[in-house]
Amino acid sequence: MLLPITGLFSTEEVQRIREALEQTEWADGKITAGYQSAKAKHNLQLPEGHPLAKEIGTALIERLWQHPQFMSAALPHKVFPPLINCYREGGNFGFHIDNALRQPRGSQERVRTDLSSTLFLSNPEDYDGGELVIQDTYGVQQVKLAAGDLVLYPGTSLHKVNPVTRGARYAAFFWTQSLVREDSQRALLFEMDNAIQQLGADVPDHPALIQLTGTYHNLLRRWIEV
């Protein structure tokens, strides 16, 4: 399942974030790449624990935890603290699959990367190239969203970032460990939840609502891992 989530940050908020990012010092993006990924990764990144990355990441997670669509689709259990990267002219990240486990620096807790997320912090017109290309069972998708929008997709997906040929592409990225490990099961639960909410809005007294809601929670109870 590939899901765009729009409007997490306003135009004014994103502008302030970009201005701060333009004035900070960056490190080589390979610092958080695995052995194989490091060969394909050519970008810049704020180090883990960087104050600006922590500020942006905290605001992002707080908003996602209150966002019904994210909560329904991801069914989050743990989230790896968001990282911030930058692709300038020539920057790219070849096809790769994210590491299955991530461990935040200074923490003993590990996060299984069931879901990957990218929050775009640059407007599409501000740079050429830089599309997030995701290859999965739904085919090959090229994603280049407005600043402040996020895309959520399976961590098992093969994906890359096309070379940036003009301008700079700023983004936040992170991983989520879901209460439901399998993407196909999460997708069914998400579709069912959407149908229940739509039915509740259209015919709130329909007797099938109780049955459908019960089935949803029984499936969740069967598939959930804690």
Side-chain angles (χ1 to χ4, degrees), residues 4-219:
I5 299 176
T6 61
L8 286 172
F9 287 85
S10 69
T11 301
E12 294 75 18
E13 289 173 322
V14 171
Q15 180 63 35
R16 289 196 296 270
I17 290 171
R18 277 203 307 272
E19 289 173 356
L21 292 175
E22 289 167 359
Q23 297 172 18
T24 196
E25 294 186 6
W26 295 83
D28 192 316
K30 297 182 191 297
I31 56 176
T32 56
Y35 174 74
Q36 290 296 331
S37 294
K39 299 177 182 179
K41 190 175 186 181
H42 306 283
N43 66 0
L44 301 172
Q45 190 171 302
L46 295 187
E48 284 189 61
H50 190 287
L52 184 54
K54 290 175 69 174
E55 181 181 349
I56 297 169
T58 298
L60 172 56
I61 297 304
E62 285 178 353
R63 294 176 192 208
L64 286 174
W65 235 250
Q66 300 173 28
H67 198 288
Q69 195 176 28
F70 176 81
M71 296 301 290
S72 177
L75 295 168
H77 178 44
K78 300 185 219 175
V79 175
F80 187 94
L83 300 169
I84 312 296
N85 62 20
C86 173
Y87 292 81
R88 292 175 180 156
E89 291 186 23
N92 69 91
F93 198 164
F95 270 125
H96 64 284
I97 293 177
D98 293 331
N99 290 352
L101 288 174
R102 291 279 179 173
Q103 185 170 355
R105 179 169 295 181
S107 172
Q108 295 184 348
E109 187 172 52
R110 295 180 178 181
V111 177
R112 190 182 65 234
T113 58
D114 298 325
L115 292 150
S116 299
S117 296
T118 295
L119 171 72
F120 289 80
L121 295 171
S122 297
N123 287 308
E125 62 269 20
D126 293 338
Y127 62 100
D128 293 335
E131 298 87 359
L132 174 62
V133 181
I134 304 169
Q135 181 177 317
D136 210 316
T137 54
Y138 39 72
V140 178
Q141 303 288 327
Q142 293 200 39
V143 183
K144 190 173 182 179
L145 302 180
D149 293 354
L150 176 142
V151 63
L152 178 73
Y153 60 98
T156 54
S157 300
L158 189 67
H159 59 283
K160 69 175 181 175
V161 176
N162 282 338
V164 170
T165 59
R166 177 189 65 86
R169 174 196 189 269
Y170 295 102
F173 63 102
F174 64 96
W175 299 273
T176 301
Q177 178 173 326
S178 178
L179 291 166
V180 176
R181 183 192 299 249
E182 291 295 326
D183 180 62
S184 59
Q185 294 171 345
R186 287 195 307 273
L188 286 172
L189 289 167
F190 181 57
E191 291 175 4
M192 182 176 285
D193 190 28
N194 284 337
I196 290 169
Q197 292 185 46
Q198 188 62 55
L199 184 61
D202 293 343
V203 279
D205 297 323
H206 199 290
L209 272 171
I210 296 175
Q211 183 178 6
L212 284 172
T213 302
T215 300
Y216 172 88
H217 284 284
N218 284 334
L219 287 173

